[in-house]
Amino acid sequence: MRIAALDLGTNSFHLLVVDAHPDGTFASLVREKEMLRLGDTVARNGHITEPVAARAVATVHRFRTLVDSVGADETVACATSAIREAENGDAVVAAIEAEAGVPVHVIGGLEEARLIFGAIRASVVIDPGPALCFDVGGGSVEVMVGDASSLQWADSVKLGVARLTAELVGDDPPSADDVRRLRDRLTAGLAPLAEAAAPYGPRMAVGTSGTLCAIARMVAARQSGGIPVSLNQFRFGRDEFQAVHDELMSSTAAARARMAGLDARRADIIPAGSMLLHTAMDLFGFDELTVSEWALREGMVLDAIQRHDPADWSSDPRAIRLSSVLRLARECNWDEGHGRQVARLAVDLFDKTMPLHGLGAKERDVLECAGLLHDIGEHVSTEGHHKHTAYLIQHGRLRGFAPDEVNELAALARYHRGGDPRRSHEVYAALDEMGQGRVAKLASLLRVADGLDRGRSSGVERVDVELNGSKVRMLVHAGESDIDVDLWGARRKRELFERLFDRRLELLGSV
């Protein structure tokens, strides 16, 4: 699946197009960046000026042309701080959607943090965990704590470098007053976050975004005279950073633009970013930073992949049915081992008794799904769970099933324990005569399969079936497992089978 992510940020707009895979991996096809500096105009005017808005629309239109040229299956676009806070942000979004044809989702700081952390933990080894993570944007800073398994805490503050520069930096290089104002604003904003993050016990620090990656490139250039192709997982310490920080704070923008590792377009805002990192090291108490090159746009891709149902990746047109059944089963906290074992045995019995029941592939599929779902009513109550299961199936919004198939599934679940199908039962009465006949036959097989896992140990490996006159012999194989209770369970549930097919059912354990 080909996914395009548009990150409409405060400093820059980014495009990432990838070939994505169901395991969460992806390969980049297109990367584009346009530095628009929306944050500057918002910080100074409170709104996005008409020329800047026009550039924003034109940039997204160009990105859309690239997306179309590579044939993306899905496009996601997120706008962050500048558009979120601009007085006319809604009008700019409307223009982008109307003129570029790209729907835009304006996200809050916490949603931004969630997406960013998803990217960080997919790109950096968090060991030792948990990690204290920073994403320094143009309008806001996201601070997160989490480990390889989950995000534990996050917050967002309006301390982005474009905002700080526009509001607090008046001289070039920054004057002592500029530095004092930056330090005071940063301390006031970050100190409460440092206090909130401390109880989580972070054991490493991770930084991402253009600003922190720029600082990392400058450190790397000083270390070796060259810049690595990839900075991901690159680490630098406080002493190495301090040398870069001192040079940045004492140099003019023109001199900074010539510094190795720094994109000249960041020369005016990098002092604020350096002050932010310097202050954060003091307040949060860390002396080393690990770099993640993945940030919001990669997080958007990963989030898009995770939102897809597994069936979306399959070439099997019927895959949505099984996927939908498994979704419902998991929502009901099913006994997965038992459900899968009963479904497997039911299908095995179906295949080996076809001369008796004469049913086809459609019915086989329904039986397998019924086997998976037959006990989900235990989520409501063990007592009468067969009735609860029927209700849950009827109201489970199963995809890929026609209404009559849903009713058949519900009826199979209703009768998997015992009792005769009756027209007084609503779920059975909803079926036509042929459907009722199918349900009776399938229920007889489902009951025996359920009985063969009475001990819920999945001890039965396979069943061989012999059709012999007035008798059906089932030879049950179990390897080294003790299946006496399973044989007993199946014998208790064979009555419907024997009555429907007018044959004695004999169940024998293999020797």
Side-chain angles (χ1 to χ4, degrees), residues 7-8 40 92 111 232 234 356 382 403 483 496:
D7 168 7
L8 311 184
D40 292 359
V92 174
E111 173 67 1
N232 203 64
F234 175 76
L356 291 180
T382 301
I483 59 166
L496 180 60

Side-chain angles (χ1 to χ4, degrees), residues 34-332:
E34 186 72 30
M35 189 168 277
L36 296 173
R37 304 291 290 269
L38 267 63
D40 292 359
T41 184
V42 173
R44 291 186 170 91
N45 305 295
H47 64 275
I48 299 171
T49 60
E50 188 172 332
V52 176
R55 285 185 61 207
V57 173
T59 297
V60 177
H61 191 281
R62 178 169 63 85
F63 285 177
R64 171 64 187 273
T65 301
L66 286 170
V67 169
D68 291 344
S69 71
V70 297
D73 302 295
E74 178 178 356
T75 300
V76 289
C78 290
T80 58
S81 178
I83 290 177
R84 184 169 67 234
E85 297 178 21
E87 292 176 3
N88 61 337
D90 55 344
V92 174
V93 167
I96 289 172
E97 293 180 340
E99 298 178 38
V102 176
V104 177
H105 180 39
V106 180
I107 59 174
L110 293 181
E111 173 67 1
E112 189 174 352
R114 182 187 72 81
L115 294 170
I116 291 166
F117 184 75
I120 289 173
R121 73 187 184 102
S123 63
V124 168
V125 176
I126 299 179
D127 185 23
L132 173 69
C133 305
F134 298 88
D135 181 277
V136 180
S140 64
V141 174
E142 281 64 51
V143 185
M144 302 142 277
V145 177
D147 57 22
S149 64
S150 64
L151 175 64
Q152 298 169 3
W153 170 87
D155 207 340
S156 177
V157 286
K158 297 178 180 180
L159 294 175
V161 292
R163 183 194 303 272
L164 293 174
T165 302
E167 295 179 0
L168 303 175
V169 179
D171 296 316
D172 183 32
S175 66
D177 285 342
D178 292 339
V179 171
R180 177 185 52 78
R181 285 193 294 268
L182 283 169
R183 171 73 70 171
D184 289 347
R185 175 76 65 84
L186 288 164
T187 300
L190 293 177
L193 274 63
E195 184 178 353
Y200 294 91
R203 300 174 65 193
M204 65 179 291
V206 179
T208 186
S209 77
T211 294
L212 294 182
C213 286
I215 291 172
R217 281 192 293 272
M218 297 179 74
V219 171
R222 278 176 167 262
Q223 286 179 346
S224 62
I227 302 171
V229 174
S230 171
L231 281 170
N232 203 64
Q233 203 80 39
F234 175 76
R235 290 183 174 89
F236 61 89
R238 182 190 287 262
D239 291 344
E240 297 165 300
F241 163 61
Q242 186 68 49
V244 170
H245 176 72
D246 290 342
E247 185 175 6
L248 287 172
M249 301 308 294
S250 61
S251 301
T252 65
R256 294 193 297 269
R258 296 191 296 271
M259 291 182 183
L262 181 65
D263 183 338
R265 292 172 295 181
R266 291 187 179 275
D268 59 335
I269 59 175
I270 197 66
S274 190
M275 278 296 301
L276 191 149
L277 179 56
H278 197 274
T279 306
M281 282 184 163
D282 290 341
L283 293 175
F284 289 87
F286 62 94
D287 294 314
E288 183 180 73
L289 189 73
T290 299
V291 176
S292 168
E293 286 192 318
W294 283 11
L296 178 59
R297 51 199 171 275
E298 289 82 7
M300 292 163 60
V301 168
L302 291 168
D303 191 62
I305 294 172
Q306 292 167 5
R307 285 200 309 271
H308 278 278
D309 193 292
D312 295 340
W313 307 92
S314 175
S315 59
D316 179 0
R318 299 171 68 84
I320 60 170
R321 291 162 63 99
L322 179 58
S323 176
S324 185
V325 163
L326 292 176
R327 174 197 54 78
L328 176 59
R330 288 168 181 144
E331 287 177 356
C332 296

